Amino acid sequence: MGLSPQWQLRERTSMARLPDRGAGDTEPPRVATTPVPMVAEAPSLATGTVREQAIARMDWAALQRDVAACRACGLCQQRRQAVLGVGDTGADWLFIGEGPGAEEDARGEPFVGPAGKLLDAMLAAIDLRRGDDVYIANAVKCRPPGNRTPESAEMVACAPYLKRQIALLQPRLIVLLGRAAAHALLGNQGSLASLRGQTFSYPEPAGESGGIPMLVTYHPAYLLRTLPDKAKAWEDLCRARALMRQAKSNARPSV
Ligand code: URA
């Protein structure tokens, strides 16, 4: 495809032997070799709607603190640190992945391993840059042991954080990277192939004033292993760019 971008992977780091996990991953799980310190017990608002209501009122600083101390699911037991997200908190673009991997767990930032480098290249292909009108988050904020796919219950436990991030950001477009992110936001167990090409709305169904458009594309970790699907991801990115243009023109006040 002549139009496809040069998504060149930058230099592999020490993680080169350990590809990031992503939607549809069938590789054997990585085993954590470093003992992971437990975090302090979280204060009272541990579960249920009280917790959700409290999170729904948090600002970014409070959210960061709460996520760091969260013990709402078992993922807290082996994390080094929780990874809330990174980027421009006034961003129009929100990209959502699955959950931190080993490098993300160590550095406290999403998508900093090999998949992150590909994500950066994908962003560059549509003239975007991490941190500049772009915010990147994950469906779960703590690394699943061995980089397995997060379980539904873990995504449900983490959902109030993602929901609050979206409420604070108010992005114009949400790009869901891979099946786990799609399932977290759409509650939909469909295959990635069946979800690609559709435009969803957040929240679903859209309220009277409409919702935030969402689309699904491949997880960069999957693309690292399945190069032919890069062309499809490029189509998705082009569609995302068109949806963004549309969202911006819809928002322009009519004169
Ligand atoms: N994969 C993800 O889904 N998120 C990350 O932050 C890193 C790898």
Side-chain angles (χ1 to χ4, degrees), residues 83-142:
V83 182
L84 176 64
V86 69
D88 178 353
T89 52
D92 283 338
W93 294 82
L94 171 59
F95 289 78
I96 301 177
E98 186 173 309
E103 286 196 39
E104 290 77 18
D105 179 60
R107 288 175 49 185
E109 181 173 334
F111 284 101
V112 290
K117 297 202 167 52
L118 181 56
L119 177 60
D120 286 343
M122 292 165 72
L123 294 177
I126 50 169
D127 300 320
L128 294 174
R129 241 176 341 126
R130 175 185 295 246
D132 183 4
D133 204 21
V134 171
Y135 190 91
I136 303 170
N138 277 312
V140 296
K141 313 305 186 202
C142 299

Side-chain angles (χ1 to χ4, degrees), residues 65-91:
R65 282 194 300 275
D66 207 69
V67 164
C70 180
R71 301 187 64 85
C73 80
L75 293 184
C76 65
Q77 291 175 14
Q78 292 186 51
R79 71 175 175 220
R80 253 187 239 200
Q81 58 188 315
V83 182
L84 176 64
V86 69
D88 178 353
T89 52

Side-chain angles (χ1 to χ4, degrees), residues 22-224:
D25 196 332
T26 52
E27 289 172 6
R30 285 182 251 160
V31 179
T33 51
T34 319
V36 185
M38 297 275 286
V39 294
E41 281 296 325
S44 51
L45 302 170
T47 51
T49 50
V50 176
R51 170 177 174 262
E52 284 168 23
Q53 285 166 11
I55 293 171
R57 290 191 296 270
M58 289 177 185
D59 62 13
W60 283 107
L63 205 54
Q64 182 72 60
R65 282 194 300 275
D66 207 69
V67 164
C70 180
R71 301 187 64 85
C73 80
L75 293 184
C76 65
Q77 291 175 14
Q78 292 186 51
R79 71 175 175 220
R80 253 187 239 200
Q81 58 188 315
V83 182
L84 176 64
V86 69
D88 178 353
T89 52
D92 283 338
W93 294 82
L94 171 59
F95 289 78
I96 301 177
E98 186 173 309
E103 286 196 39
E104 290 77 18
D105 179 60
R107 288 175 49 185
E109 181 173 334
F111 284 101
V112 290
K117 297 202 167 52
L118 181 56
L119 177 60
D120 286 343
M122 292 165 72
L123 294 177
I126 50 169
D127 300 320
L128 294 174
R129 241 176 341 126
R130 175 185 295 246
D132 183 4
D133 204 21
V134 171
Y135 190 91
I136 303 170
N138 277 312
V140 296
K141 313 305 186 202
C142 299
R143 180 190 180 201
N147 289 354
R148 62 164 169 74
T149 302
E151 290 165 5
S152 294
E154 293 159 351
M155 293 200 281
V156 167
C158 226
Y161 292 132
L162 190 54
K163 205 168 155 191
R164 185 59 185 154
Q165 284 177 295
I166 297 172
L168 287 168
L169 283 163
Q170 290 293 317
R172 287 189 206 269
L173 183 70
I174 301 175
V175 180
L176 302 172
L177 301 166
R179 236 172 24 204
H183 295 169
L185 268 285
L186 303 172
N188 182 328
Q189 298 296 313
S191 68
L192 199 93
S194 69
L195 299 173
R196 276 188 63 243
Q198 300 190 55
T199 305
F200 300 93
S201 165
Y202 178 90
E204 188 85 79
E208 273 174 27
S209 57
I212 301 169
M214 279 192 295
L215 63 88
V216 180
T217 189
Y218 293 107
H219 191 286
Y222 166 83
L223 293 173
L224 285 175

